[in-house]
Amino acid sequence: MELLRIILPVFAIFAIGFIGQKSMGFETQTLSKMALYLMSPFLVFRTFYDTTFTTTYGYMLIYTLILCFTLIGFVYVISYFKRYSMRETCGLILASAFMNNGNYGTPVALFAFGAAGLDYAVVLMVIQQLVMCTVGVYYAAKGSPENDGISSALRAVRRMPIVYGAIAGVVFQQLNIPIEGSVSEALDLVANAAIPTIMIILGMQLAKISLRNVQVEKLTYSLILKLAISPVIAFIITLFLPVDEMLAAIMILMAAMPSAANTTMYALQFGTEPDFVSSATLVSTLFSLITLPLLLVVLL
């Protein structure tokens, strides 16, 4: 019951966007571009500015990369045997290889492990954001109908300001450049608004989806990869990393999170199967109400 009190607010924010889209209608692609290019970089900048990194965070990066590329490898194997097109393959990667460990995983980690767990979860969130805005954007652009090859995908990655926000945050921290007063307040306003804005946009996109047109086969593969295989891979990775028991448990928990909300924006931005990616996010989030409590019983 306590876990539901953490999860239900997430669904309430999705519902705001869902109801707004149904009642008024919005141009979701323009809004998603705003969140990606104008708001998210400030959230990443603040996190990197405020966080002092240690070798443990290096292990978190290794874990995130191995997990991501292992899941991508699984998708390529499935796509090879099912003869999916490049666009279908990239859509399945967006739906399966990136987890919602920010606006969903972080509060769950706080509930399960307390303040210490929250610190780990926030860093994992930022690392995941960086992987999504590079690897995720690469595959979103590669699967776009306007894609003209790998060079197009790489240009899309270079244009993502989140990467530069992270670099700027590290530079400001290392040079001890103070951010105070009204500048700090403005930064906090934009950074704090980024996650709920992304969640509302996801709700808007979900309102445009007809479940009658859901691609059941691909959705099934995505759910199995995201909610079942991903935490198993994470468990195996933690066996080889010198991390404490709490961090190992959080890594496994984050790997079991549903599909990331940000991938819906990437799919929208580049036209890479946005309906399928959004439906995978919705259905995996609903199924996580069953899978996450079961996993927490094992981890705690």
Side-chain angles (χ1 to χ4, degrees):
M1 187 64 186
E2 189 64 29
L3 181 61
L4 288 177
R5 293 176 184 170
I6 299 295
I7 296 175
L8 287 179
V10 175
F11 284 88
I13 297 175
F14 289 161
I16 293 173
F18 186 93
I19 295 171
Q21 183 65 31
K22 285 291 188 182
S23 60
M24 291 177 281
F26 293 91
E27 177 52 59
T28 54
Q29 187 171 14
T30 300
L31 292 173
S32 68
K33 184 183 294 186
M34 175 198 70
L36 278 174
Y37 288 88
L38 298 183
M39 302 179 73
S40 295
F42 290 94
L43 173 63
V44 174
F45 172 86
R46 185 182 65 178
T47 302
F48 273 73
Y49 179 76
D50 291 339
T51 302
T52 301
F53 293 94
T54 66
T55 54
T56 299
Y57 300 137
Y59 298 133
M60 293 184 189
L61 175 61
I62 293 172
Y63 148 82
T64 303
L65 292 175
I66 293 176
L67 176 62
C68 177
F69 285 106
T70 302
L71 289 170
I72 290 174
F74 272 100
V75 171
Y76 271 114
V77 171
I78 293 171
S79 298
Y80 174 80
F81 286 104
K82 301 303 296 185
R83 299 185 182 278
Y84 289 152
S85 67
M86 179 55 66
R87 187 183 183 193
E88 290 176 309
T89 300
C90 291
L92 189 55
I93 287 173
L94 291 177
S96 308
F98 308 98
M99 68 286 293
N100 189 354
N101 62 1
N103 44 36
Y104 194 163
T106 300
V108 173
L110 174 62
F111 158 72
F113 300 98
L118 178 63
D119 292 339
Y120 282 142
V122 168
V123 175
L124 283 172
M125 176 193 73
V126 173
I127 294 173
Q128 172 74 8
Q129 288 287 332
L130 290 176
V131 172
M132 278 195 294
C133 76
T134 50
V135 179
V137 169
Y138 171 83
Y139 281 105
K142 190 174 183 181
S144 170
E146 290 79 29
N147 169 48
D148 58 5
I150 293 179
S151 60
S152 172
L154 292 177
R155 285 197 302 272
V157 171
R158 289 197 300 269
R159 288 196 298 266
M160 289 304 295
I162 293 178
V163 177
Y164 303 109
I167 295 172
V170 172
V171 170
F172 271 59
Q173 182 198 85
Q174 293 300 312
L175 296 179
N176 295 316
I177 299 175
I179 300 178
E180 301 171 341
S182 59
V183 175
S184 177
E185 293 175 3
L187 174 63
D188 287 338
L189 282 173
V190 179
N192 292 338
I195 290 179
T197 300
I198 291 170
M199 296 170 71
I200 290 173
I201 293 170
L202 174 60
M204 292 176 179
Q205 176 63 12
L206 295 177
K208 299 166 65 176
I209 297 173
S210 172
L211 292 180
R212 290 174 297 182
N213 298 323
V214 168
Q215 303 170 58
V216 177
E217 181 183 73
K218 286 197 298 180
L219 181 60
T220 300
Y221 290 137
S222 177
L223 291 175
I224 292 173
L225 285 172
K226 193 81 252 5
L227 301 180
I229 295 178
S230 181
V232 173
I233 296 172
F235 170 72
I236 295 172
I237 295 173
T238 61
L239 296 178
F240 297 93
L241 293 178
V243 296
D244 60 55
E245 291 184 4
M246 177 186 291
L247 179 53
I250 292 174
M251 287 176 170
I252 298 170
L253 179 65
M254 294 298 106
M257 289 295 150
S259 302
N262 284 30
T263 57
T264 297
M265 293 195 301
Y266 298 154
L268 270 171
Q269 184 67 33
F270 295 97
T272 305
E273 300 220 300
D275 287 349
F276 167 70
V277 176
S278 297
S279 63
T281 302
L282 171 63
V283 177
S284 64
T285 301
L286 293 174
F287 269 80
S288 70
L289 289 171
I290 300 172
T291 58
L292 286 181
L294 293 176
L295 180 62
L296 285 169
V297 170
V298 176
L299 294 177
L300 297 178

